Amino acid sequence: MPERPYVIDEMISAKAIAARLEELCREITAEFRDTDKLVVVGLLRGSFVFIADLVRELDLPIEVDFLEASSYGDSTESSREVRILKDLRGAIEGRDVLVVEDIVDTGYTLRHVLGLLRSRKPARMKSIALLDKPSRREVDIRADWIGFEIPDEFVVGYGIDFAQRNRNLPYIGKVRFTP
Ligand code: PRP
């Protein structure tokens, strides 16, 4: 893809993300307070920053596992066909599971992943997404916890990329193409 010049405007600061995360983690800790061990499942690659901060705010016994799903590749348009590129290492049957997603856009990825994991019969399964773009939704799905509802902007940072760049920004930024 030819690189068009762009700048990134801050949309959600690192401080605002941390504050929201603290609130959400209090709720998640309360929800799973009786768990013997919660399996926190991060969807690669976008959730790697979010899950790292999230698990450190959970006051629960946990283990971490990862699943890689992709419907975008390096494109900015969803293919609507979700491929599992890397499956979980562990079994989740009878376990408590929290699925961690960075952003829900069309909803195809989260729907596919939750369907797949539900078929493995976890005892309890909940999901959290840092960002939600409800105006882009094409399938009826919603995460149980949402960090921020955002308008249909092209966002990057805190794990989210634009053609694999900008995942390392500590905040959520908005891409603005420059002439
Ligand atoms: C992005 C993002 C979500 C998904 C959301 O993943 O991380 O997983 O798209 O889009 P949807 O709701 O329209 O399905 P991507 O396939 O770009 O992979 P990545 O996480 O490795 O960046």
PDB file of all heavy atoms in Angstrom, residues 44-46 69-72 78 101-109 161 167, ligand 1:
ATOM      1  N   LEU A  44      -4.557 -11.625  19.767  1.00  0.00           N
ATOM      2  CA  LEU A  44      -3.384 -11.013  19.136  1.00  0.00           C
ATOM      3  C   LEU A  44      -3.762 -10.455  17.770  1.00  0.00           C
ATOM      4  O   LEU A  44      -4.673 -10.978  17.136  1.00  0.00           O
ATOM      5  CB  LEU A  44      -2.287 -12.067  18.970  1.00  0.00           C
ATOM      6  CG  LEU A  44      -1.708 -12.582  20.299  1.00  0.00           C
ATOM      7  CD1 LEU A  44      -0.755 -13.752  20.040  1.00  0.00           C
ATOM      8  CD2 LEU A  44      -0.999 -11.468  21.037  1.00  0.00           C
ATOM      9  N   ARG A  45      -3.044  -9.451  17.254  1.00  0.00           N
ATOM     10  CA  ARG A  45      -1.978  -8.846  18.010  1.00  0.00           C
ATOM     11  C   ARG A  45      -2.427  -7.631  18.801  1.00  0.00           C
ATOM     12  O   ARG A  45      -1.779  -7.221  19.750  1.00  0.00           O
ATOM     13  CB  ARG A  45      -0.878  -8.418  17.014  1.00  0.00           C
ATOM     14  CG  ARG A  45      -0.104  -9.580  16.474  1.00  0.00           C
ATOM     15  CD  ARG A  45       0.840  -9.154  15.376  1.00  0.00           C
ATOM     16  NE  ARG A  45       0.213  -9.338  14.081  1.00  0.00           N
ATOM     17  CZ  ARG A  45       0.868  -9.073  12.930  1.00  0.00           C
ATOM     18  NH1 ARG A  45       2.090  -8.583  12.957  1.00  0.00           N
ATOM     19  NH2 ARG A  45       0.285  -9.277  11.767  1.00  0.00           N
ATOM     20  N   GLY A  46      -3.560  -7.038  18.385  1.00  0.00           N
ATOM     21  CA  GLY A  46      -3.956  -5.729  18.897  1.00  0.00           C
ATOM     22  C   GLY A  46      -4.090  -5.599  20.404  1.00  0.00           C
ATOM     23  O   GLY A  46      -3.927  -4.515  20.949  1.00  0.00           O
ATOM     24  N   ALA A  69      -6.478 -14.062  15.783  1.00  0.00           N
ATOM     25  CA  ALA A  69      -7.503 -14.094  14.749  1.00  0.00           C
ATOM     26  C   ALA A  69      -7.228 -12.930  13.821  1.00  0.00           C
ATOM     27  O   ALA A  69      -6.764 -11.885  14.251  1.00  0.00           O
ATOM     28  CB  ALA A  69      -8.877 -13.929  15.381  1.00  0.00           C
ATOM     29  N   SER A  70      -7.501 -13.099  12.566  1.00  0.00           N
ATOM     30  CA  SER A  70      -7.285 -11.994  11.648  1.00  0.00           C
ATOM     31  C   SER A  70      -8.355 -11.938  10.582  1.00  0.00           C
ATOM     32  O   SER A  70      -8.697 -12.958   9.988  1.00  0.00           O
ATOM     33  CB  SER A  70      -5.912 -12.116  10.983  1.00  0.00           C
ATOM     34  OG  SER A  70      -5.691 -10.951  10.221  1.00  0.00           O
ATOM     35  N   SER A  71      -8.883 -10.752  10.366  1.00  0.00           N
ATOM     36  CA  SER A  71      -9.803 -10.591   9.246  1.00  0.00           C
ATOM     37  C   SER A  71      -9.375  -9.420   8.373  1.00  0.00           C
ATOM     38  O   SER A  71      -9.961  -9.173   7.346  1.00  0.00           O
ATOM     39  CB  SER A  71     -11.236 -10.368   9.749  1.00  0.00           C
ATOM     40  OG  SER A  71     -11.286  -9.217  10.540  1.00  0.00           O
ATOM     41  N   TYR A  72      -8.347  -8.719   8.814  1.00  0.00           N
ATOM     42  CA  TYR A  72      -7.915  -7.523   8.089  1.00  0.00           C
ATOM     43  C   TYR A  72      -6.603  -7.712   7.336  1.00  0.00           C
ATOM     44  O   TYR A  72      -6.383  -7.077   6.322  1.00  0.00           O
ATOM     45  CB  TYR A  72      -7.747  -6.342   9.057  1.00  0.00           C
ATOM     46  CG  TYR A  72      -9.058  -5.771   9.516  1.00  0.00           C
ATOM     47  CD1 TYR A  72      -9.805  -6.396  10.495  1.00  0.00           C
ATOM     48  CD2 TYR A  72      -9.575  -4.626   8.940  1.00  0.00           C
ATOM     49  CE1 TYR A  72     -11.019  -5.897  10.915  1.00  0.00           C
ATOM     50  CE2 TYR A  72     -10.793  -4.103   9.353  1.00  0.00           C
ATOM     51  CZ  TYR A  72     -11.513  -4.746  10.344  1.00  0.00           C
ATOM     52  OH  TYR A  72     -12.709  -4.248  10.749  1.00  0.00           O
ATOM     53  N   SER A  78     -12.296  -4.867   6.474  1.00  0.00           N
ATOM     54  CA  SER A  78     -12.503  -6.224   6.988  1.00  0.00           C
ATOM     55  C   SER A  78     -12.855  -7.169   5.848  1.00  0.00           C
ATOM     56  O   SER A  78     -13.661  -6.832   4.986  1.00  0.00           O
ATOM     57  CB  SER A  78     -13.639  -6.235   8.011  1.00  0.00           C
ATOM     58  OG  SER A  78     -13.964  -7.566   8.348  1.00  0.00           O
ATOM     59  N   GLU A 101     -10.246  -7.951  23.942  1.00  0.00           N
ATOM     60  CA  GLU A 101     -10.144  -7.462  22.560  1.00  0.00           C
ATOM     61  C   GLU A 101      -9.776  -5.971  22.600  1.00  0.00           C
ATOM     62  O   GLU A 101     -10.198  -5.258  23.517  1.00  0.00           O
ATOM     63  CB  GLU A 101     -11.508  -7.715  21.891  1.00  0.00           C
ATOM     64  CG  GLU A 101     -11.677  -7.252  20.490  1.00  0.00           C
ATOM     65  CD  GLU A 101     -10.745  -7.894  19.486  1.00  0.00           C
ATOM     66  OE1 GLU A 101      -9.532  -7.701  19.634  1.00  0.00           O
ATOM     67  OE2 GLU A 101     -11.235  -8.514  18.530  1.00  0.00           O
ATOM     68  N   ASP A 102      -9.028  -5.518  21.646  1.00  0.00           N
ATOM     69  CA  ASP A 102      -8.672  -4.091  21.634  1.00  0.00           C
ATOM     70  C   ASP A 102      -9.812  -3.242  21.075  1.00  0.00           C
ATOM     71  O   ASP A 102     -10.160  -2.205  21.632  1.00  0.00           O
ATOM     72  CB  ASP A 102      -7.367  -3.838  20.865  1.00  0.00           C
ATOM     73  CG  ASP A 102      -7.395  -4.425  19.467  1.00  0.00           C
ATOM     74  OD1 ASP A 102      -8.212  -5.337  19.223  1.00  0.00           O
ATOM     75  OD2 ASP A 102      -6.620  -3.987  18.611  1.00  0.00           O
ATOM     76  N   ILE A 103     -10.410  -3.701  19.981  1.00  0.00           N
ATOM     77  CA  ILE A 103     -11.468  -2.887  19.362  1.00  0.00           C
ATOM     78  C   ILE A 103     -12.505  -3.776  18.685  1.00  0.00           C
ATOM     79  O   ILE A 103     -12.166  -4.785  18.072  1.00  0.00           O
ATOM     80  CB  ILE A 103     -10.857  -1.857  18.360  1.00  0.00           C
ATOM     81  CG1 ILE A 103     -11.938  -0.941  17.766  1.00  0.00           C
ATOM     82  CG2 ILE A 103     -10.064  -2.527  17.255  1.00  0.00           C
ATOM     83  CD1 ILE A 103     -11.376   0.301  17.092  1.00  0.00           C
ATOM     84  N   VAL A 104     -13.764  -3.395  18.841  1.00  0.00           N
ATOM     85  CA  VAL A 104     -14.835  -4.077  18.119  1.00  0.00           C
ATOM     86  C   VAL A 104     -15.355  -3.106  17.069  1.00  0.00           C
ATOM     87  O   VAL A 104     -15.798  -1.998  17.386  1.00  0.00           O
ATOM     88  CB  VAL A 104     -15.979  -4.533  19.050  1.00  0.00           C
ATOM     89  CG1 VAL A 104     -17.029  -5.306  18.257  1.00  0.00           C
ATOM     90  CG2 VAL A 104     -15.431  -5.399  20.182  1.00  0.00           C
ATOM     91  N   ASP A 105     -15.259  -3.550  15.822  1.00  0.00           N
ATOM     92  CA  ASP A 105     -15.590  -2.695  14.687  1.00  0.00           C
ATOM     93  C   ASP A 105     -16.825  -3.305  14.006  1.00  0.00           C
ATOM     94  O   ASP A 105     -17.951  -3.099  14.458  1.00  0.00           O
ATOM     95  CB  ASP A 105     -14.340  -2.685  13.786  1.00  0.00           C
ATOM     96  CG  ASP A 105     -14.371  -1.616  12.717  1.00  0.00           C
ATOM     97  OD1 ASP A 105     -15.443  -1.367  12.151  1.00  0.00           O
ATOM     98  OD2 ASP A 105     -13.331  -1.032  12.413  1.00  0.00           O
ATOM     99  N   THR A 106     -16.646  -4.098  12.959  1.00  0.00           N
ATOM    100  CA  THR A 106     -17.813  -4.757  12.358  1.00  0.00           C
ATOM    101  C   THR A 106     -18.415  -5.784  13.323  1.00  0.00           C
ATOM    102  O   THR A 106     -19.594  -6.113  13.232  1.00  0.00           O
ATOM    103  CB  THR A 106     -17.436  -5.501  11.054  1.00  0.00           C
ATOM    104  OG1 THR A 106     -16.489  -6.528  11.371  1.00  0.00           O
ATOM    105  CG2 THR A 106     -16.837  -4.562  10.027  1.00  0.00           C
ATOM    106  N   GLY A 107     -17.575  -6.338  14.194  1.00  0.00           N
ATOM    107  CA  GLY A 107     -18.033  -7.332  15.163  1.00  0.00           C
ATOM    108  C   GLY A 107     -17.751  -8.768  14.741  1.00  0.00           C
ATOM    109  O   GLY A 107     -17.928  -9.699  15.523  1.00  0.00           O
ATOM    110  N   TYR A 108     -17.292  -8.967  13.499  1.00  0.00           N
ATOM    111  CA  TYR A 108     -17.064 -10.338  13.011  1.00  0.00           C
ATOM    112  C   TYR A 108     -16.026 -11.087  13.848  1.00  0.00           C
ATOM    113  O   TYR A 108     -16.198 -12.282  14.145  1.00  0.00           O
ATOM    114  CB  TYR A 108     -16.623 -10.326  11.538  1.00  0.00           C
ATOM    115  CG  TYR A 108     -17.773 -10.101  10.583  1.00  0.00           C
ATOM    116  CD1 TYR A 108     -17.993  -8.846  10.019  1.00  0.00           C
ATOM    117  CD2 TYR A 108     -18.647 -11.134  10.261  1.00  0.00           C
ATOM    118  CE1 TYR A 108     -19.058  -8.625   9.161  1.00  0.00           C
ATOM    119  CE2 TYR A 108     -19.711 -10.924   9.397  1.00  0.00           C
ATOM    120  CZ  TYR A 108     -19.912  -9.669   8.850  1.00  0.00           C
ATOM    121  OH  TYR A 108     -20.974  -9.461   8.008  1.00  0.00           O
ATOM    122  N   THR A 109     -14.955 -10.406  14.225  1.00  0.00           N
ATOM    123  CA  THR A 109     -13.887 -11.097  14.962  1.00  0.00           C
ATOM    124  C   THR A 109     -14.394 -11.582  16.314  1.00  0.00           C
ATOM    125  O   THR A 109     -14.248 -12.761  16.657  1.00  0.00           O
ATOM    126  CB  THR A 109     -12.668 -10.159  15.168  1.00  0.00           C
ATOM    127  OG1 THR A 109     -12.242  -9.681  13.890  1.00  0.00           O
ATOM    128  CG2 THR A 109     -11.525 -10.886  15.845  1.00  0.00           C
ATOM    129  N   ASP A 161      -2.760  -0.890  15.296  1.00  0.00           N
ATOM    130  CA  ASP A 161      -1.826  -0.498  14.228  1.00  0.00           C
ATOM    131  C   ASP A 161      -2.507   0.173  13.048  1.00  0.00           C
ATOM    132  O   ASP A 161      -3.714   0.065  12.841  1.00  0.00           O
ATOM    133  CB  ASP A 161      -1.121  -1.744  13.684  1.00  0.00           C
ATOM    134  CG  ASP A 161      -2.074  -2.615  12.846  1.00  0.00           C
ATOM    135  OD1 ASP A 161      -3.149  -2.997  13.365  1.00  0.00           O
ATOM    136  OD2 ASP A 161      -1.772  -2.885  11.666  1.00  0.00           O
ATOM    137  N   ARG A 167       1.702   0.730  16.930  1.00  0.00           N
ATOM    138  CA  ARG A 167       1.164  -0.053  18.047  1.00  0.00           C
ATOM    139  C   ARG A 167       1.779   0.398  19.378  1.00  0.00           C
ATOM    140  O   ARG A 167       1.214   0.173  20.436  1.00  0.00           O
ATOM    141  CB  ARG A 167       1.469  -1.549  17.860  1.00  0.00           C
ATOM    142  CG  ARG A 167       0.715  -2.208  16.714  1.00  0.00           C
ATOM    143  CD  ARG A 167       0.819  -3.729  16.843  1.00  0.00           C
ATOM    144  NE  ARG A 167       0.482  -4.421  15.608  1.00  0.00           N
ATOM    145  CZ  ARG A 167      -0.733  -4.862  15.302  1.00  0.00           C
ATOM    146  NH1 ARG A 167      -1.741  -4.673  16.122  1.00  0.00           N
ATOM    147  NH2 ARG A 167      -0.950  -5.512  14.170  1.00  0.00           N
TER     148      ARG A 167
HETATM  149  C1  PRP B   1      -8.443  -5.909  14.442  1.00  0.00           C
HETATM  150  C2  PRP B   1      -8.696  -5.683  15.927  1.00  0.00           C
HETATM  151  C3  PRP B   1      -9.839  -6.603  16.236  1.00  0.00           C
HETATM  152  C4  PRP B   1     -10.606  -6.668  14.932  1.00  0.00           C
HETATM  153  C5  PRP B   1     -11.867  -5.867  15.048  1.00  0.00           C
HETATM  154  O1  PRP B   1      -7.663  -7.044  14.271  1.00  0.00           O
HETATM  155  O2  PRP B   1      -7.556  -6.002  16.686  1.00  0.00           O
HETATM  156  O3  PRP B   1      -9.392  -7.891  16.569  1.00  0.00           O
HETATM  157  O4  PRP B   1      -9.748  -6.124  13.930  1.00  0.00           O
HETATM  158  O5  PRP B   1     -12.537  -5.785  13.814  1.00  0.00           O
HETATM  159  P1  PRP B   1     -13.965  -6.393  13.490  1.00  0.00           P
HETATM  160  O6  PRP B   1     -14.869  -6.091  14.658  1.00  0.00           O
HETATM  161  O7  PRP B   1     -14.353  -5.642  12.249  1.00  0.00           O
HETATM  162  O8  PRP B   1     -13.826  -7.863  13.249  1.00  0.00           O
HETATM  163  P2  PRP B   1      -6.755  -7.347  12.972  1.00  0.00           P
HETATM  164  O9  PRP B   1      -7.423  -8.415  12.153  1.00  0.00           O
HETATM  165  O10 PRP B   1      -6.423  -6.051  12.281  1.00  0.00           O
HETATM  166  O11 PRP B   1      -5.453  -7.988  13.605  1.00  0.00           O
HETATM  167  P3  PRP B   1      -4.423  -7.408  14.700  1.00  0.00           P
HETATM  168  O12 PRP B   1      -5.128  -7.482  16.052  1.00  0.00           O
HETATM  169  O13 PRP B   1      -3.281  -8.346  14.616  1.00  0.00           O
HETATM  170  O14 PRP B   1      -4.050  -5.981  14.350  1.00  0.00           O
END
